[in-house]
Amino acid sequence: MNITKIGVTAITLAAIGALTLSGCAGGGAAPASKANADAIISTNGSEPQNPLIPTTTTETGGGKIVNSIFAGLVYYDATGATVNDVAEAITTDDNTTYTIKIKPGLAFSDGQALTSNSFVDAWQYGALLSNGQLGSSFFSDIAGYSVETDSPLTGLTVVDDTTFTVALTAPLADFPQRLGFAAFYPLPASAFADMAAFGESPIGNGPYMLDGPKAWKHNEKIDLVVNPSYDGGRKPKNGGLSITFYANEGAAYSDLLANNLDVLDSIPDSAYGTYESDLGDRVVNQPAAILQAVTIPARLPHFSGEEGTLRRRALSMAINREEITKIIFSGTRTPASDFTSPVLDGWSDTLTGADVLTFNAKQAKKLWAEADAISPWTGSFQIAYNADGGHQGWVDAASNSIKNTLGIDASGAPTPTFAQARTAIADRSIQTAFRSGWQADYPSLYNFLQPSYATKAGSNDGEYSNPEFDALLARGSAEADLTAANSDFQKAQEILLQDLPAIPLWYANVTGGAGVDVHGVVFGWDSVPLFSEITKG
């Protein structure tokens, strides 16, 4: 009998480690006598796309908040290791049926009891088709899930207040590893009375909670304070978080330099030449599980069928990634050779077809001419992006590379905010190519591939569908051996390299910094600071 029990399970991550920043010459955390346990840590963020409901939060602006106010069965430490949080034990003897025991006596921040039903009811809500939750596909492996009709997750069974079971449709060895993602967070019983109202002022069970019912000031900031009910591994060493939704990264960086911001997790490209000298030992530059790409939906004119495939390949080979990452990003990005991230176990830079991601002006022109023979190109090629995210520099550079190589009109198409850009992408009203990318939810190749490219997946914004790709994902996720699973995922990527539903550009490092009075800053494997560890004073 092969029993899998999740306590602390290390994931092999190539070339990654947590980097601790210090605001003083001595390094490390502030001395206990000097640190102010009530200090509020200020940081940057962006206006969430949606109400703060875990099952519909699939972007980084909302994710930074949701992951702070909720706690799942497990969480991921700085290196990507899986650690029990609400779970006492997760066991299985066949990788198909899992028994989950949660710690007794837990409660949400308002005192409501946290039981097995808190998870089961939340998952049922998140998976139900008519609820339209963006993270619903994360439940697709649980028995009863449907994308065609409203159907309950028949694979979920409550045994008692602290025990429930999960029956999957096929073996998944990494199922416990997935359970730290936001879609699997619990919800209090009160949430279901009015989910829209709950999303504006959510009640969670995590290390922080909203500082009152009006804590979320839309398009401005959100204030969080310590949740006294939380007693897990992420117990805060500070008094709370104040997350400001900056209109652009330059303003956030200016606040950091003026010591009006404690932690910044993204340096603007305009400061790449100076940020290391500006910040000294308060700077961070480390690999993270982030991929930047451009998605070109097949519904756009000239981008369906064989013509569309030829044009995507031509555009990809017309972008000089090496030059852009060197000049625009000062080496804080690495040209992509696949659809995932080099910090993940199983990553490969030798996939068949990866040459399409290498600058080749001659081949790009040839492919574009072949597409013109099918249907002559008309119009301008535009890349939409959110102007509050520091993307103009690279979008302009990529557009110029395309323009100079293919001899067509190409330019960026800015949208003021991330939330506005995401809304246009999600409701399919956007009529251009657009900036896309992925910041991992959990450390796995599968997590980069399934949500963005599986048929009808929640983050499949280009509406890509390929049955062969889907089959390889399913086969890989059912493998008992991680090496075999990763082999399947690599084969699935080779299909993506042929179809190019998105054009991978580069892998991102997390580049950030801390204020002069701030200590114990650790950026995790996913580029997000471990806020609970930060002290000030």
Side-chain angles (χ1 to χ4, degrees):
M1 179 180 293
N2 179 24
I3 301 294
T4 302
K5 184 171 290 186
I6 299 300
V8 180
T9 304
I11 308 300
T12 302
L13 297 177
I16 186 168
L19 177 61
T20 301
L21 299 179
S22 168
C24 57
S33 59
K34 294 183 65 176
N36 179 3
D38 296 323
I40 301 298
I41 306 301
S42 60
T43 189
N44 64 302
S46 58
E47 172 71 12
Q49 178 191 358
N50 296 302
L52 297 171
I53 301 167
T55 49
T56 202
T57 299
T58 59
E59 42 76 33
T60 55
K64 182 178 290 186
I65 302 166
V66 165
N67 292 335
S68 296
I69 62 178
F70 286 92
L73 294 164
V74 302
Y75 69 90
Y76 311 113
D77 72 9
T79 66
T82 305
V83 185
N84 276 355
D85 203 342
V86 175
E88 187 171 86
I90 303 172
T91 59
T92 183
D93 59 6
D94 60 2
N95 291 332
T96 301
T97 300
Y98 286 85
T99 298
I100 298 174
K101 291 282 294 183
I102 66 173
K103 297 169 183 174
L106 298 181
F108 290 90
S109 61
D110 67 344
Q112 292 182 71
L114 194 160
T115 68
S116 298
N117 283 103
S118 305
F119 285 96
V120 170
D121 292 347
W123 297 7
Q124 293 284 13
Y125 178 88
L128 199 66
L129 179 67
S130 60
N131 288 332
Q133 299 296 281
L134 294 177
S136 65
S137 65
F138 280 89
F139 305 103
S140 61
D141 296 299
I142 300 176
Y145 178 83
S146 174
V147 295
E148 305 297 337
T149 185
D150 273 358
S151 173
L153 296 176
T154 56
L156 298 180
T157 302
V158 173
V159 177
D160 55 42
D161 280 351
T162 59
T163 311
F164 67 102
T165 61
V166 184
L168 307 178
T169 55
L172 290 179
D174 74 341
F175 181 68
Q177 184 185 346
R178 304 181 186 187
L179 297 177
F181 178 58
F184 296 102
Y185 288 162
L187 290 175
S190 62
F192 302 97
D194 187 341
M195 193 62 75
F198 177 83
E200 289 296 313
S201 186
I203 297 163
N205 65 315
Y208 298 98
M209 62 184 186
L210 269 67
D211 187 16
K214 302 295 184 180
W216 183 5
K217 297 177 174 59
H218 285 279
N219 299 303
E220 181 182 344
K221 68 172 184 173
I222 190 167
D223 292 320
L224 310 179
V225 294
V226 171
N227 173 16
S229 300
Y230 177 77
D231 195 29
R234 297 185 293 148
K235 201 159 188 177
K237 298 178 181 178
N238 50 61
L241 305 177
S242 182
I243 305 173
T244 298
F245 308 143
Y246 285 93
N248 61 75
E249 290 179 326
Y253 186 64
S254 294
D255 274 354
L256 181 68
L257 293 180
N259 209 34
N260 294 323
L261 189 70
D262 295 323
V263 181
L264 175 66
D265 63 10
S266 183
I267 300 292
D269 55 11
S270 60
Y272 282 148
T274 63
Y275 80 101
E276 291 180 311
S277 59
D278 289 343
L279 299 173
D281 64 358
R282 296 181 287 120
V283 74
V284 61
N285 182 8
Q286 72 181 64
I290 304 173
L291 175 76
Q292 185 75 69
V294 171
T295 295
I296 311 173
R299 68 176 183 275
L300 300 183
H302 297 292
F303 285 103
S304 61
E306 182 183 358
E307 181 194 356
T309 299
L310 289 168
R311 294 203 187 280
R312 286 186 182 84
R313 293 174 64 82
L315 288 163
S316 178
M317 300 178 94
I319 298 173
N320 193 332
R321 295 166 178 79
E322 289 282 353
E323 184 175 88
I324 293 172
T325 55
K326 180 180 179 180
I327 296 175
I328 301 296
F329 293 112
S330 299
T332 62
R333 305 290 188 273
T334 303
S337 56
D338 82 327
F339 286 78
T340 65
S341 167
V343 306
L344 301 178
D345 185 47
W347 175 80
S348 172
D349 61 355
T350 60
L351 298 176
T352 300
D355 59 320
V356 75
L357 305 183
T358 301
F359 180 63
N360 187 330
K362 181 178 179 180
Q363 184 66 6
K365 292 175 183 176
K366 178 177 179 293
L367 293 169
W368 195 260
E370 290 177 11
D372 278 343
I374 296 173
S375 176
W377 172 256
T378 56
S380 173
F381 181 76
Q382 291 188 304
I383 302 173
Y385 65 95
N386 53 300
D388 60 351
H391 300 290
Q392 181 178 351
W394 74 257
V395 171
D396 287 348
S399 298
N400 286 333
S401 187
I402 290 169
K403 182 190 302 183
N404 294 336
T405 301
L406 299 179
I408 63 172
D409 183 47
S411 63
T415 297
T417 68
F418 180 80
Q420 289 173 297
R422 282 300 314 164
T423 297
I425 292 167
D427 67 18
R428 307 301 190 252
S429 62
I430 195 163
Q431 297 301 312
T432 66
F434 52 86
R435 179 193 77 82
S436 58
W438 193 255
Q439 180 172 329
D441 304 307
Y442 58 92
S444 166
L445 297 181
Y446 182 87
N447 179 243
F448 272 83
L449 303 177
Q450 192 277 339
S452 296
Y453 308 114
T455 300
K456 295 187 178 180
S459 296
N460 187 349
D461 295 322
E463 299 183 298
Y464 173 70
S465 180
N466 185 313
E468 187 180 356
F469 172 79
D470 292 341
L472 281 167
L473 279 190
R475 190 173 79 183
S477 63
E479 300 275 13
D481 177 71
L482 183 59
T483 301
N486 284 336
S487 176
D488 292 330
F489 298 148
Q490 289 166 2
K491 292 174 183 174
Q493 286 202 77
E494 290 176 348
I495 294 174
L496 295 183
L497 288 166
Q498 291 295 318
D499 295 346
L500 286 181
I503 297 174
L505 298 176
W506 37 76
Y507 312 118
N509 281 12
V510 53
T511 52
V516 295
D517 298 325
V518 182
H519 310 268
V521 178
V522 174
F523 280 70
W525 65 279
D526 57 355
S527 84
V528 179
L530 277 61
F531 292 113
S532 61
E533 295 297 312
I534 300 173
T535 61
K536 185 177 179 182

